[in-house]
Amino acid sequence: MDTYQDELRADGIVRGERDCDERWTVLAPHLPDAGMLLDVGSNLGYFGLRAAIERPRLAVVSLEADPRIAARQRAIVAGHADLRRVMVLGGSLNANGAADWADTPDWFDAVLLLAIIHWFDDPAAVVRALSSMSGRLICEVPDAGDAGACGREKLELWKDPEAWFADVTGRHVRHLGRVTRHTSTEPSHMILVDGPVSRSPRRPYRGGPERELGRYRVDHDGSLTMLSVGGSVIERVPGVNLVNLMRAGALLHPSIDDVMTDATRALDRHPSHPDPFPHNMLWGPDGIRMIDFGPCDALLTTRDSLQTLRTHLPRWRDGKTVDDDAAIRHLALVNRLRASRTGQRLLGVVPPTLKRRVRRALFGR
Ligand SMILES: C[S@@+](CC[C@H](N)C(=O)[O-])C[C@H]1O[C@@H](n2cnc3c(N)ncnc32)[C@H](O)[C@@H]1O
């Protein structure tokens, strides 16, 4: 089987065509010790996996578009027993998806874009969006003269990679060095983008309601990241919104059972959370944590939430769109009816067959 990256298996390394150790030596000093790392176009997952193994307080979202390669990555990561801090998603990032994600308060401490930006539909739009939602970007850009790189027609953009990244991101840019390529005699450029960045997302999560501009604000001063909601700075829990992850790609690892166990644990810690749904769950180094304890009149229970997750998780694994809002709207209506006397009377006359059909439509069972 052709192997591009080294396979970092639990029982040893199987070497691929690419020199992963050489790249690791250049990028590792710039990786955070804790928090969230996103690896876009992660191939067999070498870099994210190595980061998670060597840094126990780091969680990794590893996104790979090619289903065959993503399945191989899943098997490699699953071979590392109990390593739940790497989430492997089968999916492709493009300019629309990146802008949609950046319009929510999610934050990554670092993003890896290694030999990938020339694959994007609109490299500048993707890099701009990801830069606005991360402490630093670590990028490998093939040299403009690299005759072996896929997506070669775009390489002309990076004749001067530092100038391009500075122009697109408006941040501090450093050339970390050059690394050998197995496809070319021209070494690639390793680029670091960091420094202050701010943004004002409009939605609490992808597909969620649009709020007034300025309600959310993320400010990074080059070291600390502050999140404000409605003008007040709140504690920023490390992690990424579960609904955003559901929209980024199909869940390949960890297993549905592991996610369900983590969610149940999070809900058990907050049995009276007013809105205990996946959009208020962050996945990160400590598993799943609940956020947003503000009042909510939807009358949703942790039992409703677990039922919703039982429907959502298989859909997520199968790569289907997960619409948190639809389930919540239906549940909120049912719970309002349950809570009122007229509602109880109305529900009392709904035939059991219809109730079963509604339940099946909402929860798949
Ligand atoms: C040239 S390889 C680089 C792999 C890895 N980043 C590395 O440096 O070793 C590019 C990888 O990105 C994946 N890919 C391409 N376009 C993508 C996209 N838009 N979103 C996610 N993955 C993508 C490809 O399937 C391939 O595995």
Side-chain angles (χ1 to χ4, degrees), residues 26 40 47 97 142 179 182 213 241 287 338 352:
V26 176
V40 183
F47 298 102
V179 285
H182 62 279
L213 198 64
N241 194 291
R338 272 192 206 133

Side-chain angles (χ1 to χ4, degrees), residues 64-84:
E64 170 53 47
D66 184 315
R68 203 178 48 93
I69 297 175
R72 284 176 64 195
Q73 180 182 160
R74 189 209 69 80
I76 295 169
V77 176
H80 293 260
D82 295 333
L83 193 65
R84 288 195 201 170

Side-chain angles (χ1 to χ4, degrees), residues 3-7 13-20 44:
T3 293
Y4 177 79
Q5 270 191 356
D6 294 347
E7 293 185 37
I13 294 186
V14 178
R15 292 288 172 198
E17 296 160 339
R18 188 158 167 73
D19 195 331
C20 292
L44 297 178

Side-chain angles (χ1 to χ4, degrees), residues 90-257:
S92 168
L93 192 71
N94 59 26
N96 282 341
D100 195 37
W101 203 344
D103 202 19
T104 78
D106 268 353
W107 178 257
F108 289 96
D109 297 280
V111 174
L112 294 179
L113 292 175
L114 304 177
I116 172 80
I117 59 173
H118 53 300
W119 293 59
F120 293 140
D121 53 345
D122 182 344
V126 177
V127 166
R128 198 174 294 119
L130 291 178
S131 167
S132 76
M133 56 190 289
S134 61
R136 66 201 78 162
L137 297 177
I138 303 171
C139 312
E140 174 184 343
V141 187
D143 188 82
D146 188 330
C150 309
R152 275 213 67 229
E153 65 286 357
K154 295 210 176 94
L155 295 187
E156 289 291 307
L157 285 172
W158 299 288
K159 276 199 165 129
D160 182 346
E162 282 166 275
W164 187 86
F165 278 98
D167 182 43
V168 164
T169 65
R171 297 175 77 185
H172 183 248
V173 177
R174 216 176 339 150
H175 197 287
L176 296 177
R178 301 192 68 173
V179 285
T180 53
R181 284 274 291 170
H182 62 279
T183 52
S184 166
T185 50
E186 297 296 334
S188 295
H189 304 265
M190 296 292 280
I191 303 287
L192 175 71
V193 178
D194 63 5
V197 69
S198 292
R199 76 188 199 286
S200 300
R202 288 169 310 165
R203 296 180 195 274
Y205 53 94
R206 292 175 75 174
E210 192 175 313
R211 311 265 198 237
E212 74 280 13
L213 198 64
R215 173 160 180 78
Y216 301 108
R217 175 105 190 142
V218 183
D219 288 300
H220 176 73
D221 67 2
S223 135
L224 289 177
T225 311
M226 310 289 238
L227 169 62
S228 343
V229 180
S232 313
V233 174
I234 62 164
E235 183 206 351
R236 201 182 58 78
V237 172
V240 173
N241 194 291
L242 205 63
V243 168
N244 290 354
L245 292 167
M246 288 172 169
R247 286 180 175 245
L251 177 69
L252 301 178
H253 181 88
S255 68
I256 290 184
D257 286 350

